Amino acid sequence: MPLFERNRLRDTEEILGTDAATRALSVTVVENDFVERVYNKVASVYDWTYGPTLHPGRMQAIQRMGIQPGERVLEVGVGTGINLSLYPRDCPVTGIDFSGQMLEKARDRVAGKGLGNVRLLEMDAADLKFADGTFDIVYAPYVISVVPDPVTVAREMYRVCRSGGRVIILNHFRSPQALLARIERAICPFTIHIGFKSDLDLPAFLTQTDLKPVSIEKVNVPRIWSLITCIKD
Ligand SMILES: C[S@@+](CC[C@H](N)C(=O)[O-])C[C@H]1O[C@@H](n2cnc3c(N)ncnc32)[C@H](O)[C@@H]1O
């Protein structure tokens, strides 16, 4: 076991550095244009490919939010709007995304299901056009490992959440197990072409964002996704 741990440390040091406050979160770097193109392409098949398998985590996140009547919810990276009918109808929900094709699907869904409590806006998650403290709940389902700059996005989410509100992140992060972590790093340059980085570093992410989770739960099957709940100070 100690040998295993040493190998893991050496591998991480060589690739990303030792200091969680400064090391890169992933071996793969992407730009907004690239991500937008990927999601514009996958929009037509998204609900089939990323729908059912990732749904238990979405359901658990909604439960964990404990949404009260009238609370204002922001969903960052709303995509095709797969979560939108899960929110109570008496809560105003804002969904933002920067992929026109994904948003078009979301608009169809909102119209089809008559979700009058939902508004959809085209916006970059790293530059939210809302005043500080606008929302009671700010939620990013399966988005943080997609965006080029996860730290800026998390800081923006925190900024637009009111004091005492909830910031919720549902995402896959790199495994703490050495072998799995190596595989996740090795495949990351490929997984980015289907829309996510497989090797995002959770300890470094939390250190660099200053987020202090009140809980981190493992969700989905296999349980390799994390549901992170934070309360804003
Ligand atoms: C994996 S999908 C998640 C969709 C949905 N939240 C879900 O639960 O399945 C990621 C979404 O984030 C969006 N996205 C990626 N980077 C973004 C950014 N910088 N700003 C806004 N949306 C972004 C993509 O267009 C895509 O719709």
Side-chain angles (χ1 to χ4, degrees):
M1 193 60 176
L3 180 65
F4 205 53
E5 287 299 309
R6 259 204 311 279
N7 282 345
R8 182 178 72 165
L9 186 62
R10 197 167 53 231
D11 185 41
T12 304
E13 279 171 9
E14 278 166 11
I15 298 174
L16 298 170
T18 50
D19 184 357
T22 54
R23 71 177 175 240
L25 300 188
S26 166
V27 291
T28 305
V29 175
V30 286
E31 300 291 338
N32 269 354
D33 285 358
F34 174 83
V35 178
E36 198 181 341
R37 271 200 310 277
V38 168
Y39 276 96
N40 278 339
K41 270 192 224 150
V42 303
S44 58
V45 294
Y46 185 86
D47 288 354
W48 296 104
T49 47
Y50 292 93
T53 46
L54 300 180
H55 219 59
R58 296 186 184 103
M59 300 298 288
Q60 202 162 324
I62 294 284
Q63 275 183 351
R64 186 61 60 236
M65 282 174 209
I67 309 176
Q68 300 301 308
E71 283 197 313
R72 301 152 301 171
V73 178
L74 172 65
E75 187 181 323
V76 172
V78 66
T80 60
I82 201 162
N83 293 287
L84 292 174
S85 54
L86 303 178
Y87 302 107
R89 295 289 178 102
D90 60 0
C91 289
V93 175
T94 303
I96 71 108
D97 205 289
F98 70 1
S99 157
Q101 302 293 315
M102 294 291 273
L103 276 176
E104 204 175 298
K105 294 270 171 203
R107 288 198 181 98
D108 289 347
R109 185 175 241 122
V110 166
K113 293 191 182 269
L115 301 174
N117 59 323
V118 174
R119 69 171 169 161
L120 296 168
L121 301 170
E122 198 163 331
M123 200 180 289
D124 183 355
D127 182 21
L128 296 176
K129 306 292 184 199
F130 305 109
D132 298 0
T134 301
F135 299 96
D136 301 290
I137 296 168
V138 183
Y139 173 39
Y142 307 118
V143 177
I144 285 295
S145 61
V146 172
V147 296
D149 185 350
V151 173
T152 299
V153 170
R155 288 197 181 131
E156 277 292 87
M157 291 174 63
Y158 199 77
R159 180 184 67 75
V160 302
C161 184
R162 71 161 165 86
S163 183
R166 286 85 89 204
V167 173
I168 313 251
I169 291 170
L170 173 59
N171 214 82
H172 172 270
F173 291 92
R174 192 169 70 228
S175 171
Q177 291 176 21
L179 180 61
L180 271 180
R182 288 183 80 108
I183 294 169
E184 286 165 344
R185 266 198 298 267
I187 64 174
C188 191
F190 305 101
T191 63
I192 198 62
H193 291 275
I194 52 168
F196 70 103
K197 291 175 224 161
S198 51
D199 68 341
L200 208 67
D201 180 334
L202 179 58
F205 172 71
L206 293 177
T207 302
Q208 291 174 30
T209 51
D210 273 334
L211 288 177
K212 309 259 182 307
V214 293
S215 65
I216 302 179
E217 299 156 81
K218 289 291 177 194
V219 296
N220 292 329
V221 181
R223 299 177 89 73
I224 56 172
W225 282 264
S226 300
L227 174 59
I228 302 173
T229 304
C230 310
I231 309 282
K232 183 167 172 179
D233 294 338

